[in-house]
């Protein structure tokens, strides 16, 4: 690696460290379309970081562009 100024690793971070802490649990993305009337969550994106929540985020696209 000394021949290069920078190295970018794009593999699993736990593999980079030789699985020294075991394999990390990864959450996959499943795109599910739901339609709700009105203001469902009040923001464009809400992120959920708790393991007990079965999804990582909810996006409500009507909040991305403000209507004039």
């Amino acid at each position: 690696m000394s021949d290069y100024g920078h190295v970018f690793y794009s593999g699993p971070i736990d593999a980079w460290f030789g699985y020294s802490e075991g394999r990390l649990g990864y959450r996959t993305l499943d795109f599910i379309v739901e339609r709700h009337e009105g203001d469902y969550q009040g923001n464009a994106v809400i992120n959920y970081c708790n393991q007990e929540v079965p999804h990582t985020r909810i996006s409500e696209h009507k909040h991305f562009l403000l209507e004039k």
Side-chain angles (χ1 to χ4, degrees):
M1 285 197 274
S2 62
D3 295 339
Y4 303 99
H6 293 85
V7 175
F8 296 93
Y9 177 72
S10 61
I13 194 69
D14 51 353
W16 175 260
F17 290 102
Y19 303 104
S20 61
E21 301 294 322
R23 290 186 175 269
L24 294 175
Y26 291 94
R27 296 173 79 175
T28 60
L29 294 177
D30 295 321
F31 294 95
I32 300 169
V33 176
E34 294 183 14
R35 307 228 186 267
H36 299 274
E37 295 293 323
D39 188 1
Y40 181 66
Q41 64 187 15
N43 286 308
V45 177
I46 302 289
N47 295 311
Y48 297 91
C49 303
N50 298 341
Q51 285 186 331
E52 46 285 344
V53 177
H55 46 269
T56 54
R57 81 178 40 90
I58 295 176
S59 299
E60 190 171 358
H61 292 273
K62 71 178 99 186
H63 292 293
F64 285 125
L65 296 174
L66 297 176
E67 293 184 27
K68 294 181 180 182

